[in-house]
Amino acid sequence: THTHTHTLYTHTMAESDAPAAPVEVQHSEELAQALSALSALTLSDDPATPAEVPEPVHTALLAAAGQAAGHLAPSQAKDLAQVLGSNVATADRPSCLALATAVAEAIAEAARDEHARATLGDAGAVSACLELLSGAQGSVAPRARLHALRALGNLCVDCDTNRKKLVDSEGGFARVVRVLQELQETDFAKGPGAATSAGITTMAAGAGALLNAASGDDDAIRKVLTEVGAVDTLVWLAQNAPEGLEREFALRALTRFASDEAAVNKMGATDTMRQLIDRLGDEDLDEYEFRETMQLLHAMAGSDKLAPEFANNEHGFLEQLFDMARDRSKLQRVYSQAATLTALLLGNEACREKLFTEDAGDALLELMVEWMHTPEENDLNVAGALAVGNIVRSDDLSARVAACPPVIPGLVKLLKRDFSATQHSALGCIKNMCNLAANRPKFVEAGLLEPITQVLLHTSHPPLQYTAASITRLLCLDQSPELISKVADELLPRLVKLGKSETLAVNAESNRVLVNMIKFGDRKDIVPRAVEAGAITNFVNLLDCEHSMIQSEVILALIHICTLDPANAQEVWNTSPTEKLAKVLANERLPSLPAPILGNAISLVGAILVNPALRDSAEGQVLLAALDKLRTATHPLVKGYSTKVYASLTGSQ
């Protein structure tokens, strides 16, 4: 029989007649006493005699660790980690493994207190527990792994530093996942019902550890967990765990992976999707877990891989969600979020074809309009508009939706709501529908100009500014000059201001509205007002824009401005366009600049330099030299334009 006595840790007690110490000191001394008692044990290494820590010593250690946790000193945390580490180093001896297991359990107990976690992690407890997890062998191993997992799980609760330590440790999360995979292959090999009690408890501890590790704000940690197989293990556990607690831990952990696309795409198992939808309808679920579940279901509904599974006839998931969305006997959060998911899924072709049928299409649209205007139901209002916007994915669908009488007036009415989320959903849907030219007059007739004007005049949210400007640009494409003048009366100065926005999308789209006003409106009316408001500066700033479409549009607008009134050429010149125009002519900014755009740039130079004073200036000569060089271009359009304009400006051939 071999014995092992651990004497690493010793402590001298205070004199019995010393003054009573504060509670913190008393707890610290109790922990020191408990560690001393543990270290002094002599346990057997005889395989025939189980190595067990005596119950009084074990109980005292756990109690002392729990009491000292709230004010655990770094030195005490270091002592715990060192005792654990020194015994793990010789864990092939049952006596050492038994001692290490007891200390791991004490660390798990102490780590239940938020104040102790970082201190224990800094002292090396994370790496020591990982070593115990990997090194446990023999009859004590199941208990050792259980408490190592419990300790790691508790150390990771709301503690990013310990989560990071797990990532940085060699094989950190992979070791945790490996233990759970081994349990699948051993305890659970014959099915969940055949698993041992120890295996079930260890699986629950492992799922809890993964849950706590994945619950932080660091997406990189979740990515690592996905890469080492944690999501696959959790999906398996959610479907196969024999107890509700393990399934709950697994589902909770899975909901933390909503931001990881690779992880979400691993969750397509039928049972997991059904569990999550059922979980959505659980009225006893706390708000935090409900929100986490919703985020994961949103991610699944937005996945090209998983969204079609909701429409699978065998599963009935889409119908289940749609039924929940229409059931007002459920909690508001349940039916409103089920409606949001239904709206998201309508963006998937398979789901759309299942709900928006030839027979039921109008009824569905009428229900969506009803959702838009249900009082005191912001989420439901948003879902209604989102659903209609997701149905409109082609010109044919857009025309069909517009033919349903309540839809267009309903969207215009929703846009008048002074709530950014409903405005955003309404704007998105209206923009989709206005891509079809035949729908634009219908929206104008329904009174769209008034609310769209109010949004552009008053909102400070760039997404709303961008979408409202985009709709206004579309409305100016094929409307009467009188209508465009009416829009200009309300919005032209505001659009010029938005056209200077630091948000590129708002900047570009606002200037594109101004361009369309000039192109399709009454230029004699629009151009002087645009010049007075400062639109020329906006257009010149976009001359070297990286987006060729925008570059082309502002060049054409400047040509119209200069040709309407030659005096405007001086206004353009005052914005110092020479450098930008020279770059365009030299094709430096965009080497693949389309020839028609380059040809229009040549025409713009001609419209500016028609003024002799500008042409004869040093900057004018720079532009003339650039035109002269283009007369030898290989592209016939560029060569022809440059030759013609150069000749008109200089009188030479």
Side-chain angles (χ1 to χ4, degrees):
T1 301
H2 301 282
T3 60
H4 174 70
T5 302
H6 185 62
T7 57
L8 174 69
Y9 186 88
T10 58
H11 179 76
T12 303
M13 290 296 298
E15 295 295 329
S16 60
D17 57 350
V23 172
E24 292 86 351
V25 175
Q26 292 178 13
H27 290 164
S28 298
E29 291 180 348
E30 289 168 0
L31 178 58
Q33 282 182 335
L35 278 172
S36 292
L38 183 77
S39 302
L41 288 175
T42 300
L43 302 180
S44 171
D45 282 329
D46 185 351
T49 306
E52 294 182 356
V53 175
E55 185 61 30
V57 176
H58 180 240
T59 301
L61 177 63
L62 294 185
Q67 290 173 341
H71 38 266
L72 191 70
S75 60
Q76 295 172 308
K78 187 175 181 181
D79 289 338
L80 280 166
Q82 283 184 343
V83 173
L84 175 56
S86 65
N87 281 289
V88 169
T90 51
D92 55 327
R93 308 177 83 172
S95 59
C96 294
L97 187 57
L99 293 171
T101 301
V103 179
E105 190 174 2
I107 290 174
E109 184 67 23
R112 293 173 64 181
D113 191 293
E114 61 181 324
H115 301 291
R117 291 168 197 149
T119 305
L120 285 164
D122 291 341
V126 171
S127 57
C129 288
L130 278 173
E131 292 302 321
L132 176 60
L133 191 64
S134 301
Q137 301 292 331
S139 61
V140 187
R143 184 173 176 80
R145 293 193 187 104
L146 167 63
H147 292 301
L149 288 169
R150 284 188 60 241
L152 288 169
N154 288 352
L155 286 166
C156 286
V157 175
D158 297 330
C159 188
D160 286 336
T161 57
N162 285 345
R163 294 175 182 135
K164 185 69 166 53
K165 284 181 171 65
L166 258 173
V167 171
D168 294 340
S169 299
E170 183 178 353
F173 284 124
R175 299 194 211 183
V176 176
V177 172
R178 196 175 303 122
V179 168
L180 301 185
Q181 291 171 339
E182 288 173 359
L183 284 170
Q184 290 179 43
E185 297 164 3
T186 54
D187 277 42
F188 291 80
K190 296 181 180 180
T196 65
S197 175
I200 293 171
T201 306
T202 303
M203 187 67 87
L210 293 177
L211 165 63
N212 293 337
S215 293
D217 296 328
D218 192 341
D219 286 337
I221 290 178
R222 282 183 282 275
K223 182 178 180 182
V224 171
L225 282 165
T226 302
E227 290 172 350
V228 300
V231 172
D232 300 294
T233 299
L234 290 167
V235 168
W236 180 90
L237 184 58
Q239 298 173 58
N240 294 284
E243 303 290 341
L245 179 63
E246 291 79 49
R247 289 195 296 272
E248 174 64 15
F249 276 167
L251 286 170
R252 284 190 184 187
L254 287 172
T255 63
R256 305 318 193 249
F257 288 85
S259 61
D260 185 339
E261 183 179 359
V264 171
N265 284 334
K266 289 176 176 287
M267 300 181 198
T270 301
D271 286 347
T272 302
M273 295 178 73
R274 179 177 292 110
Q275 285 171 311
L276 290 166
I277 295 172
D278 290 344
R279 187 176 171 84
L280 176 68
D282 182 357
E283 298 191 352
D284 294 327
L285 197 65
D286 68 60
E287 284 298 326
Y288 179 80
E289 292 301 331
F290 180 83
R291 186 169 62 252
E292 293 289 299
T293 302
M294 272 305 305
Q295 288 176 353
L296 178 55
L297 284 169
H298 277 214
M300 297 173 87
S303 165
D304 291 338
K305 178 181 177 181
L306 298 186
E309 290 299 313
F310 285 88
N312 190 312
N313 285 328
E314 295 180 6
H315 307 334
F317 295 153
L318 183 61
E319 292 87 342
Q320 183 180 354
L321 285 170
F322 194 33
D323 287 344
M324 290 168 67
R326 292 177 290 178
D327 187 352
R328 293 298 179 272
S329 69
K330 295 186 177 297
L331 289 179
Q332 181 187 47
R333 72 177 191 181
V334 174
Y335 66 72
S336 64
Q337 291 306 319
T340 300
L341 282 167
T342 303
L344 286 171
L345 288 165
L346 282 167
N348 173 264
E349 184 176 4
C351 294
R352 185 166 56 250
E353 290 177 351
K354 197 169 187 67
L355 290 183
F356 190 64
T357 62
E358 190 68 34
D359 295 334
D362 282 355
L364 178 66
L365 291 172
E366 289 168 3
L367 177 62
M368 296 305 104
V369 174
E370 179 185 320
W371 285 2
M372 289 183 209
H373 300 296
T374 303
E376 307 299 325
E377 294 276 8
N378 289 330
D379 288 340
L380 202 59
N381 302 155
V382 170
L386 178 63
V388 176
N390 278 338
I391 291 172
V392 181
R393 291 301 180 102
S394 69
D395 286 350
D396 288 343
L397 287 171
S398 186
R400 184 179 167 192
V401 169
C404 183
V407 171
I408 289 178
L411 287 166
V412 172
K413 180 181 177 182
L414 185 62
L415 187 56
K416 295 178 180 180
R417 285 273 311 279
D418 188 19
F419 183 65
S420 61
T422 54
Q423 287 180 331
H424 190 274
S425 60
L427 286 168
C429 182
I430 292 169
K431 180 184 175 183
N432 285 357
M433 294 186 69
C434 282
N435 283 322
L436 182 65
N439 286 343
R440 295 168 200 157
K442 296 178 182 179
F443 274 103
V444 172
E445 185 178 347
L448 176 61
L449 288 180
E450 189 270 330
I452 206 82
T453 297
Q454 293 305 310
V455 171
L456 282 169
L457 286 175
H458 301 297
T459 186
S460 59
H461 300 294
L464 298 182
Q465 293 171 342
Y466 165 76
T467 313
S470 186
I471 293 168
T472 307
R473 173 180 60 81
L474 290 170
L475 293 179
C476 290
L477 280 175
D478 44 20
Q479 301 299 319
S480 67
E482 292 77 17
L483 179 71
I484 294 174
S485 291
K486 183 179 178 180
V487 174
D489 290 341
E490 299 288 342
L491 289 175
L492 198 150
R494 175 62 172 167
L495 288 167
V496 171
K497 182 176 181 179
L498 291 174
K500 304 179 190 298
S501 170
E502 293 182 0
T503 303
L504 179 59
V506 175
N507 179 313
E509 203 66 13
S510 299
N511 284 308
R512 294 183 72 196
V513 180
L514 295 170
V515 169
N516 279 1
M517 286 181 173
I518 291 170
K519 286 170 64 177
F520 301 106
D522 180 353
R523 287 179 202 151
K524 292 182 179 179
D525 171 44
I526 300 296
V527 168
R529 289 199 275 169
V531 171
E532 182 180 359
I536 288 176
T537 301
N538 292 14
F539 295 156
V540 170
N541 286 338
L542 290 171
L543 278 174
D544 59 352
C545 176
E546 293 182 357
H547 300 281
S548 59
M549 178 180 65
I550 296 173
Q551 190 180 36
S552 175
E553 290 180 348
V554 298
I555 288 173
L556 284 172
L558 287 169
I559 290 173
H560 288 313
I561 288 171
C562 290
T563 53
L564 179 70
D565 183 354
N568 288 336
Q570 183 67 55
E571 296 291 337
V572 174
W573 196 254
N574 291 342
T575 63
S576 303
T578 305
E579 183 178 353
K580 292 179 184 291
L581 277 173
K583 284 184 177 181
V584 174
L585 295 177
N587 208 4
E588 290 179 3
R589 183 78 172 183
L590 291 170
S592 58
L593 191 68
I597 297 178
L598 190 52
N600 287 335
I602 292 167
S603 297
L604 174 58
V605 171
I608 295 172
L609 296 187
V610 71
N611 183 323
L614 304 182
R615 183 170 64 246
D616 293 339
S617 67
E619 291 85 355
Q621 291 300 306
V622 169
L623 295 177
L624 278 175
L627 287 179
D628 188 20
K629 186 176 180 180
L630 286 174
R631 292 196 296 163
T632 60
T634 56
H635 196 286
L637 186 149
V638 174
K639 181 177 181 178
Y641 267 57
S642 56
T643 299
K644 180 180 179 180
V645 172
Y646 187 83
S648 69
L649 294 173
T650 64
S652 60
Q653 297 298 321

